Amino acid sequence: MARPARVFTVAIDGPAAAGKGTVARALAARFGLGHLDTGLLYRAVAAKGGDPVAAARDLVAADLERDDLRTLAAGQAASRVAVIPQVRAALVAFQRRFARREGGAVLDGRDIGTVICPEAEVKLYVTASPEVRAHRRWLELGGDEAEVLAEVLARDARDIGRAAAPLAAAADAVVLDTSVMTIDEAVAEAERIVGAALV
Ligand code: C5P
């Protein structure tokens, strides 16, 4: 299996619960790449409480280990601190270093192909309809499905509408719509694209 000898970045962007994380983890395992779930950085900043700019500047690895970062509330809180330009700025250098580490990396988030690593060798935009995404999140987390859909729509609106690094597909990203393909098909297509970029 081809494995990058030096820098090689796969940038994966898309809205909440589209399957970015699943695709990213599969690519990392298949091609031996480092993986950074950048949403976790914003979730951890919000969970620390206090001044979000200070929290972002002082973020340490242990902050990402909290077990309360995956909840719907943590996702909403993350999208509120993610609109603050100084919070985003404090997290850029770490993400860029990770993206260009030797041996290659896959990062998933909202602005990886547009802002963090526009030079990424592969850019994917993983998306699906809000209903499909809400259904998947509801299967994972339970609760009231209508509430999960409302949460997904509110988070989409905040992520797409913000001035600083809004969620958008890079012009050169390949779009994988997981409402018309299964996650397994999306993973297979992503593996094919990355494999082709590595030869
Ligand atoms: O991907 P995840 O759902 O964990 O992201 C949580 C929130 O963090 C997103 O809704 C978004 O507001 C923010 N985020 C971001 N930029 C990224 C990753 C996440 O603004 N690269």
Side-chain angles (χ1 to χ4, degrees):
M1 173 209 323
R3 201 170 171 273
R6 294 193 64 80
V7 296
F8 178 86
T9 311
V10 181
I12 305 184
D13 293 303
K20 298 184 301 290
T22 306
V23 172
R25 281 189 297 275
L27 290 174
R30 168 79 191 268
F31 297 102
L33 307 169
H35 171 221
L36 180 63
D37 167 2
T38 65
L40 214 48
L41 304 176
Y42 294 90
R43 288 171 182 258
V45 166
K48 277 180 94 165
D51 171 18
V53 177
R57 287 183 183 148
D58 298 340
L59 201 66
V60 291
D63 295 325
L64 307 180
E65 307 290 321
R66 299 171 60 124
D67 56 12
D68 58 353
L69 298 181
R70 302 278 177 197
T71 64
L72 288 180
Q76 282 290 355
S79 75
R80 289 199 186 89
V81 299
V83 305
I84 305 168
Q86 297 92 325
V87 165
R88 307 197 68 83
L91 301 174
V92 165
F94 172 74
Q95 294 176 83
R96 287 206 174 132
R97 260 198 317 277
F98 192 96
R100 298 317 259 171
R101 77 212 284 261
E102 291 211 2
V106 48
L107 288 81
D108 65 284
R110 302 291 186 290
D111 63 341
I112 309 303
T114 51
V115 173
I116 299 298
C117 196
E119 69 275 35
E121 282 73 14
V122 174
K123 295 182 191 176
L124 303 174
Y125 189 80
V126 180
T127 189
S129 72
E131 291 74 18
V132 165
R133 292 184 285 119
H135 187 68
R136 281 194 201 128
R137 199 35 64 92
W138 172 75
L139 288 175
E140 259 171 48
L141 298 176
D144 173 15
E145 192 169 348
E147 241 171 62
V148 178
L149 177 59
E151 189 273 345
V152 159
L153 290 171
R155 207 133 68 86
D156 284 359
R158 207 174 289 126
D159 289 348
I160 292 166
R162 70 183 176 220
L167 168 65
D172 51 350
V174 176
V175 177
L176 299 178
D177 186 340
T178 63
S179 29
V180 295
M181 63 203 320
T182 65
I183 292 283
D184 286 350
E185 288 167 342
V187 166
E189 181 60 4
E191 287 183 349
R192 191 192 63 71
I193 292 166
V194 171
L198 280 171
V199 288

PDB file of all heavy atoms in Angstrom, residues 64-86:
ATOM      1  N   LEU A  64      -8.295  17.763  25.399  1.00  0.00           N
ATOM      2  CA  LEU A  64      -9.017  17.015  24.361  1.00  0.00           C
ATOM      3  C   LEU A  64      -9.468  15.641  24.861  1.00  0.00           C
ATOM      4  O   LEU A  64     -10.167  14.919  24.160  1.00  0.00           O
ATOM      5  CB  LEU A  64      -8.133  16.841  23.115  1.00  0.00           C
ATOM      6  CG  LEU A  64      -7.525  18.120  22.542  1.00  0.00           C
ATOM      7  CD1 LEU A  64      -6.679  17.811  21.319  1.00  0.00           C
ATOM      8  CD2 LEU A  64      -8.618  19.120  22.165  1.00  0.00           C
ATOM      9  N   GLU A  65      -9.041  15.293  26.084  1.00  0.00           N
ATOM     10  CA  GLU A  65      -9.340  13.953  26.625  1.00  0.00           C
ATOM     11  C   GLU A  65     -10.656  13.926  27.405  1.00  0.00           C
ATOM     12  O   GLU A  65     -11.096  12.856  27.822  1.00  0.00           O
ATOM     13  CB  GLU A  65      -8.224  13.493  27.585  1.00  0.00           C
ATOM     14  CG  GLU A  65      -6.814  13.557  27.026  1.00  0.00           C
ATOM     15  CD  GLU A  65      -6.579  12.514  25.962  1.00  0.00           C
ATOM     16  OE1 GLU A  65      -7.080  11.393  26.140  1.00  0.00           O
ATOM     17  OE2 GLU A  65      -5.929  12.839  24.949  1.00  0.00           O
ATOM     18  N   ARG A  66     -11.272  15.086  27.641  1.00  0.00           N
ATOM     19  CA  ARG A  66     -12.515  15.108  28.429  1.00  0.00           C
ATOM     20  C   ARG A  66     -13.545  14.192  27.804  1.00  0.00           C
ATOM     21  O   ARG A  66     -13.620  14.083  26.586  1.00  0.00           O
ATOM     22  CB  ARG A  66     -13.099  16.527  28.463  1.00  0.00           C
ATOM     23  CG  ARG A  66     -12.224  17.571  29.093  1.00  0.00           C
ATOM     24  CD  ARG A  66     -12.831  18.932  28.861  1.00  0.00           C
ATOM     25  NE  ARG A  66     -14.153  19.023  29.452  1.00  0.00           N
ATOM     26  CZ  ARG A  66     -14.520  19.949  30.329  1.00  0.00           C
ATOM     27  NH1 ARG A  66     -13.674  20.887  30.703  1.00  0.00           N
ATOM     28  NH2 ARG A  66     -15.734  19.966  30.813  1.00  0.00           N
ATOM     29  N   ASP A  67     -14.399  13.568  28.658  1.00  0.00           N
ATOM     30  CA  ASP A  67     -15.357  12.623  28.077  1.00  0.00           C
ATOM     31  C   ASP A  67     -16.712  13.269  27.789  1.00  0.00           C
ATOM     32  O   ASP A  67     -17.659  12.588  27.421  1.00  0.00           O
ATOM     33  CB  ASP A  67     -15.498  11.371  28.964  1.00  0.00           C
ATOM     34  CG  ASP A  67     -15.893  11.731  30.376  1.00  0.00           C
ATOM     35  OD1 ASP A  67     -16.277  12.900  30.610  1.00  0.00           O
ATOM     36  OD2 ASP A  67     -15.824  10.846  31.256  1.00  0.00           O
ATOM     37  N   ASP A  68     -16.808  14.598  27.934  1.00  0.00           N
ATOM     38  CA  ASP A  68     -18.096  15.262  27.680  1.00  0.00           C
ATOM     39  C   ASP A  68     -18.056  16.113  26.403  1.00  0.00           C
ATOM     40  O   ASP A  68     -18.855  17.026  26.240  1.00  0.00           O
ATOM     41  CB  ASP A  68     -18.478  16.149  28.878  1.00  0.00           C
ATOM     42  CG  ASP A  68     -17.415  17.209  29.183  1.00  0.00           C
ATOM     43  OD1 ASP A  68     -16.332  17.183  28.553  1.00  0.00           O
ATOM     44  OD2 ASP A  68     -17.673  18.064  30.048  1.00  0.00           O
ATOM     45  N   LEU A  69     -17.131  15.798  25.496  1.00  0.00           N
ATOM     46  CA  LEU A  69     -16.973  16.657  24.305  1.00  0.00           C
ATOM     47  C   LEU A  69     -17.851  16.239  23.125  1.00  0.00           C
ATOM     48  O   LEU A  69     -17.977  16.984  22.167  1.00  0.00           O
ATOM     49  CB  LEU A  69     -15.503  16.687  23.859  1.00  0.00           C
ATOM     50  CG  LEU A  69     -14.505  17.270  24.863  1.00  0.00           C
ATOM     51  CD1 LEU A  69     -13.090  17.252  24.278  1.00  0.00           C
ATOM     52  CD2 LEU A  69     -14.893  18.689  25.274  1.00  0.00           C
ATOM     53  N   ARG A  70     -18.450  15.048  23.197  1.00  0.00           N
ATOM     54  CA  ARG A  70     -19.175  14.524  22.028  1.00  0.00           C
ATOM     55  C   ARG A  70     -20.668  14.807  22.060  1.00  0.00           C
ATOM     56  O   ARG A  70     -21.382  14.389  21.149  1.00  0.00           O
ATOM     57  CB  ARG A  70     -18.982  13.001  21.932  1.00  0.00           C
ATOM     58  CG  ARG A  70     -17.524  12.593  21.827  1.00  0.00           C
ATOM     59  CD  ARG A  70     -17.034  12.703  20.404  1.00  0.00           C
ATOM     60  NE  ARG A  70     -15.632  12.393  20.294  1.00  0.00           N
ATOM     61  CZ  ARG A  70     -14.874  12.713  19.247  1.00  0.00           C
ATOM     62  NH1 ARG A  70     -15.398  13.354  18.229  1.00  0.00           N
ATOM     63  NH2 ARG A  70     -13.607  12.406  19.212  1.00  0.00           N
ATOM     64  N   THR A  71     -21.157  15.460  23.083  1.00  0.00           N
ATOM     65  CA  THR A  71     -22.602  15.661  23.215  1.00  0.00           C
ATOM     66  C   THR A  71     -23.109  16.750  22.251  1.00  0.00           C
ATOM     67  O   THR A  71     -22.332  17.540  21.711  1.00  0.00           O
ATOM     68  CB  THR A  71     -22.961  16.093  24.658  1.00  0.00           C
ATOM     69  OG1 THR A  71     -22.345  17.366  24.892  1.00  0.00           O
ATOM     70  CG2 THR A  71     -22.445  15.096  25.693  1.00  0.00           C
ATOM     71  N   LEU A  72     -24.457  16.764  22.064  1.00  0.00           N
ATOM     72  CA  LEU A  72     -25.068  17.803  21.222  1.00  0.00           C
ATOM     73  C   LEU A  72     -24.771  19.186  21.794  1.00  0.00           C
ATOM     74  O   LEU A  72     -24.454  20.125  21.062  1.00  0.00           O
ATOM     75  CB  LEU A  72     -26.591  17.625  21.180  1.00  0.00           C
ATOM     76  CG  LEU A  72     -27.160  16.450  20.387  1.00  0.00           C
ATOM     77  CD1 LEU A  72     -28.680  16.471  20.477  1.00  0.00           C
ATOM     78  CD2 LEU A  72     -26.704  16.483  18.939  1.00  0.00           C
ATOM     79  N   ALA A  73     -24.871  19.304  23.118  1.00  0.00           N
ATOM     80  CA  ALA A  73     -24.640  20.618  23.766  1.00  0.00           C
ATOM     81  C   ALA A  73     -23.202  21.073  23.523  1.00  0.00           C
ATOM     82  O   ALA A  73     -22.949  22.262  23.270  1.00  0.00           O
ATOM     83  CB  ALA A  73     -24.931  20.509  25.263  1.00  0.00           C
ATOM     84  N   ALA A  74     -22.257  20.144  23.579  1.00  0.00           N
ATOM     85  CA  ALA A  74     -20.851  20.512  23.360  1.00  0.00           C
ATOM     86  C   ALA A  74     -20.642  20.976  21.919  1.00  0.00           C
ATOM     87  O   ALA A  74     -19.850  21.895  21.659  1.00  0.00           O
ATOM     88  CB  ALA A  74     -19.946  19.331  23.688  1.00  0.00           C
ATOM     89  N   GLY A  75     -21.375  20.370  20.986  1.00  0.00           N
ATOM     90  CA  GLY A  75     -21.277  20.781  19.577  1.00  0.00           C
ATOM     91  C   GLY A  75     -21.822  22.181  19.365  1.00  0.00           C
ATOM     92  O   GLY A  75     -21.224  23.014  18.672  1.00  0.00           O
ATOM     93  N   GLN A  76     -22.953  22.455  20.005  1.00  0.00           N
ATOM     94  CA  GLN A  76     -23.545  23.805  19.913  1.00  0.00           C
ATOM     95  C   GLN A  76     -22.616  24.848  20.528  1.00  0.00           C
ATOM     96  O   GLN A  76     -22.375  25.910  19.942  1.00  0.00           O
ATOM     97  CB  GLN A  76     -24.885  23.866  20.667  1.00  0.00           C
ATOM     98  CG  GLN A  76     -26.049  23.257  19.932  1.00  0.00           C
ATOM     99  CD  GLN A  76     -26.475  24.068  18.721  1.00  0.00           C
ATOM    100  OE1 GLN A  76     -25.974  25.153  18.453  1.00  0.00           O
ATOM    101  NE2 GLN A  76     -27.402  23.527  17.958  1.00  0.00           N
ATOM    102  N   ALA A  77     -22.073  24.519  21.704  1.00  0.00           N
ATOM    103  CA  ALA A  77     -21.179  25.460  22.394  1.00  0.00           C
ATOM    104  C   ALA A  77     -19.939  25.704  21.535  1.00  0.00           C
ATOM    105  O   ALA A  77     -19.456  26.835  21.430  1.00  0.00           O
ATOM    106  CB  ALA A  77     -20.798  24.896  23.762  1.00  0.00           C
ATOM    107  N   ALA A  78     -19.440  24.639  20.884  1.00  0.00           N
ATOM    108  CA  ALA A  78     -18.254  24.768  20.028  1.00  0.00           C
ATOM    109  C   ALA A  78     -18.544  25.745  18.893  1.00  0.00           C
ATOM    110  O   ALA A  78     -17.721  26.605  18.566  1.00  0.00           O
ATOM    111  CB  ALA A  78     -17.870  23.400  19.467  1.00  0.00           C
ATOM    112  N   SER A  79     -19.728  25.626  18.282  1.00  0.00           N
ATOM    113  CA  SER A  79     -20.014  26.487  17.126  1.00  0.00           C
ATOM    114  C   SER A  79     -20.180  27.943  17.545  1.00  0.00           C
ATOM    115  O   SER A  79     -19.993  28.849  16.736  1.00  0.00           O
ATOM    116  CB  SER A  79     -21.222  25.975  16.339  1.00  0.00           C
ATOM    117  OG  SER A  79     -22.422  26.243  17.012  1.00  0.00           O
ATOM    118  N   ARG A  80     -20.478  28.175  18.835  1.00  0.00           N
ATOM    119  CA  ARG A  80     -20.573  29.567  19.319  1.00  0.00           C
ATOM    120  C   ARG A  80     -19.185  30.172  19.507  1.00  0.00           C
ATOM    121  O   ARG A  80     -18.966  31.321  19.136  1.00  0.00           O
ATOM    122  CB  ARG A  80     -21.359  29.633  20.634  1.00  0.00           C
ATOM    123  CG  ARG A  80     -22.821  29.369  20.431  1.00  0.00           C
ATOM    124  CD  ARG A  80     -23.684  29.863  21.580  1.00  0.00           C
ATOM    125  NE  ARG A  80     -25.039  29.420  21.338  1.00  0.00           N
ATOM    126  CZ  ARG A  80     -25.538  28.265  21.746  1.00  0.00           C
ATOM    127  NH1 ARG A  80     -24.807  27.445  22.492  1.00  0.00           N
ATOM    128  NH2 ARG A  80     -26.767  27.915  21.439  1.00  0.00           N
ATOM    129  N   VAL A  81     -18.242  29.404  20.048  1.00  0.00           N
ATOM    130  CA  VAL A  81     -16.890  29.995  20.202  1.00  0.00           C
ATOM    131  C   VAL A  81     -16.166  30.042  18.861  1.00  0.00           C
ATOM    132  O   VAL A  81     -15.257  30.863  18.663  1.00  0.00           O
ATOM    133  CB  VAL A  81     -16.011  29.252  21.252  1.00  0.00           C
ATOM    134  CG1 VAL A  81     -16.647  29.305  22.633  1.00  0.00           C
ATOM    135  CG2 VAL A  81     -15.696  27.820  20.849  1.00  0.00           C
ATOM    136  N   ALA A  82     -16.596  29.179  17.899  1.00  0.00           N
ATOM    137  CA  ALA A  82     -15.911  29.110  16.601  1.00  0.00           C
ATOM    138  C   ALA A  82     -16.159  30.339  15.727  1.00  0.00           C
ATOM    139  O   ALA A  82     -15.476  30.527  14.725  1.00  0.00           O
ATOM    140  CB  ALA A  82     -16.341  27.845  15.850  1.00  0.00           C
ATOM    141  N   VAL A  83     -17.140  31.182  16.103  1.00  0.00           N
ATOM    142  CA  VAL A  83     -17.372  32.410  15.314  1.00  0.00           C
ATOM    143  C   VAL A  83     -16.383  33.514  15.704  1.00  0.00           C
ATOM    144  O   VAL A  83     -16.299  34.537  15.024  1.00  0.00           O
ATOM    145  CB  VAL A  83     -18.824  32.969  15.471  1.00  0.00           C
ATOM    146  CG1 VAL A  83     -19.863  31.918  15.125  1.00  0.00           C
ATOM    147  CG2 VAL A  83     -19.058  33.516  16.875  1.00  0.00           C
ATOM    148  N   ILE A  84     -15.648  33.327  16.806  1.00  0.00           N
ATOM    149  CA  ILE A  84     -14.757  34.386  17.312  1.00  0.00           C
ATOM    150  C   ILE A  84     -13.407  34.311  16.577  1.00  0.00           C
ATOM    151  O   ILE A  84     -12.679  33.322  16.714  1.00  0.00           O
ATOM    152  CB  ILE A  84     -14.543  34.223  18.840  1.00  0.00           C
ATOM    153  CG1 ILE A  84     -15.897  34.202  19.572  1.00  0.00           C
ATOM    154  CG2 ILE A  84     -13.633  35.327  19.380  1.00  0.00           C
ATOM    155  CD1 ILE A  84     -15.821  33.761  21.030  1.00  0.00           C
ATOM    156  N   PRO A  85     -13.069  35.362  15.790  1.00  0.00           N
ATOM    157  CA  PRO A  85     -11.839  35.278  14.982  1.00  0.00           C
ATOM    158  C   PRO A  85     -10.585  34.997  15.806  1.00  0.00           C
ATOM    159  O   PRO A  85      -9.722  34.242  15.378  1.00  0.00           O
ATOM    160  CB  PRO A  85     -11.761  36.661  14.310  1.00  0.00           C
ATOM    161  CG  PRO A  85     -13.159  37.181  14.316  1.00  0.00           C
ATOM    162  CD  PRO A  85     -13.820  36.600  15.537  1.00  0.00           C
ATOM    163  N   GLN A  86     -10.472  35.578  17.023  1.00  0.00           N
ATOM    164  CA  GLN A  86      -9.256  35.366  17.829  1.00  0.00           C
ATOM    165  C   GLN A  86      -9.146  33.926  18.330  1.00  0.00           C
ATOM    166  O   GLN A  86      -8.042  33.435  18.555  1.00  0.00           O
ATOM    167  CB  GLN A  86      -9.229  36.308  19.055  1.00  0.00           C
ATOM    168  CG  GLN A  86      -9.165  37.778  18.703  1.00  0.00           C
ATOM    169  CD  GLN A  86     -10.563  38.400  18.603  1.00  0.00           C
ATOM    170  OE1 GLN A  86     -11.527  37.764  18.161  1.00  0.00           O
ATOM    171  NE2 GLN A  86     -10.678  39.654  19.004  1.00  0.00           N
TER     172      GLN A  86
END
